[in-house]
Amino acid sequence: TRLAPEEGSTLEQVVVPLVHGEQGAVAHTIELRYRFSDRRSRPVQGAMTLEGPTLPALFAARRTFWQVVLPADEHLWLPPENFTSEYTWSWSGMRWGRTPVLGQSELESWVGTRHDTPLPATVHSYLFSTTDADQALKLSVVRRSVLVLEASGLALVVGLVLVYWPAARQPLVFLVLAVATAALATLYPQPAIVLAEASALGLSLVVLAAALKRRFHDRRNIARPVRSGPSSIVERGSTRTQPHYRSSVAGSMSTTSGAELSMPIPETEAQR
């Protein structure tokens, strides 16, 4: 039975009549599922708030599990505060992702409800728990295209600056980058892992750019001639020797006293 909200209130009440057995109280299972028909009925990116049903104090739950299922092109950016993340980080196919400690079938068996259609393997499933059943689930979601574009773009820009601008390759610059990365990983460990995975494309392009730059630089050094003096060029690999004397003509020198001094010029081996 659905009751209309009271005046000044936006909450609705649903009354579920429970039938007692002949021998006393009987365990009952109430199943509630929240689904969004399309993305227009919820925020695609950014903060999202999910509110569960509020039970009377007599039926207060000691522990509540929230299973959040997102499409394949969306990721959890920030986990909800005051909730315990019930998943582990592990390899899932070709990526490093979060795997819930309890799957959908295990949760259904735990609460004793019917088994629904299994979730597709392409979706992203997250599990959270809390001891306060009345607390709303506030989380942040980001699109994969936006995440990869921003993370890989930032990694590509920083990497190209370090590759093509030698002045930036200073110890202080690397120290600042290391401290910033360590601080991000310490304060926001889960977003840091998501960023590291999303920046893989940009880092791959940086490695490719560095390899191409080194290859072309080595080719220019090989093709450049080696100069032995200001006006002569010596080709690499040449074994030819130049003769020191090209003429066998005898020269004469005159002294101040009028005597004549003759000095022969040595001949080359070819002329001999």
Side-chain angles (χ1 to χ4, degrees), residues 7 11 16 42 60 75 79-82 95 103 132 137 162 165 180-181 184 208 219-220 262:
E7 184 177 356
L11 299 178
V16 180
R42 68 171 181 84
H75 295 269
E81 298 180 358
N82 301 325
R95 67 180 183 85
D132 186 2
L137 185 73
L162 295 176
W165 191 21
T181 303
L184 177 62
L208 178 61
R219 284 187 175 182
R220 287 197 300 267
S262 298

Side-chain angles (χ1 to χ4, degrees), residues 57-211:
L58 181 61
F59 303 99
R62 285 179 289 182
R63 193 176 185 186
T64 303
F65 284 94
W66 277 86
Q67 183 191 35
V68 180
V69 181
L70 297 177
D73 59 341
E74 297 183 14
H75 295 269
L76 176 67
W77 175 243
L78 290 176
E81 298 180 358
N82 301 325
F83 277 79
T84 302
S85 299
E86 301 289 348
Y87 49 74
T88 59
W89 289 89
S90 60
W91 284 104
S92 178
M94 297 297 295
R95 67 180 183 85
W96 180 262
R98 286 163 281 197
T99 303
V101 295
L102 295 176
Q104 175 178 324
S105 178
E106 296 171 324
L107 290 172
E108 291 167 342
S109 300
W110 178 61
V111 298
T113 184
R114 64 181 178 87
H115 290 272
D116 199 6
T117 304
L119 296 174
T122 56
V123 300
H124 297 145
S125 178
Y126 308 96
L127 186 65
F128 308 98
S129 66
T130 180
T131 56
D132 186 2
D134 298 337
Q135 188 173 4
L137 185 73
K138 298 180 180 180
L139 46 84
S140 181
V141 180
V142 63
R143 294 287 295 272
R144 177 187 297 174
S145 57
V146 177
L147 181 63
V148 173
L149 179 62
E150 294 181 354
S152 295
L154 179 61
L156 181 61
V157 170
V158 174
L160 291 180
V161 169
L162 295 176
V163 170
Y164 289 99
W165 191 21
R169 297 196 291 267
Q170 301 295 331
L172 181 60
V173 175
F174 289 102
L175 178 62
V176 171
L177 292 177
V179 171
T181 303
L184 177 62
T186 303
L187 297 177
Y188 306 99
Q190 296 193 29
I193 298 177
V194 176
L195 280 177
E197 183 181 5
S199 61
L201 177 60
L203 295 177
S204 300
L205 294 177
V206 171
V207 173
L208 178 61

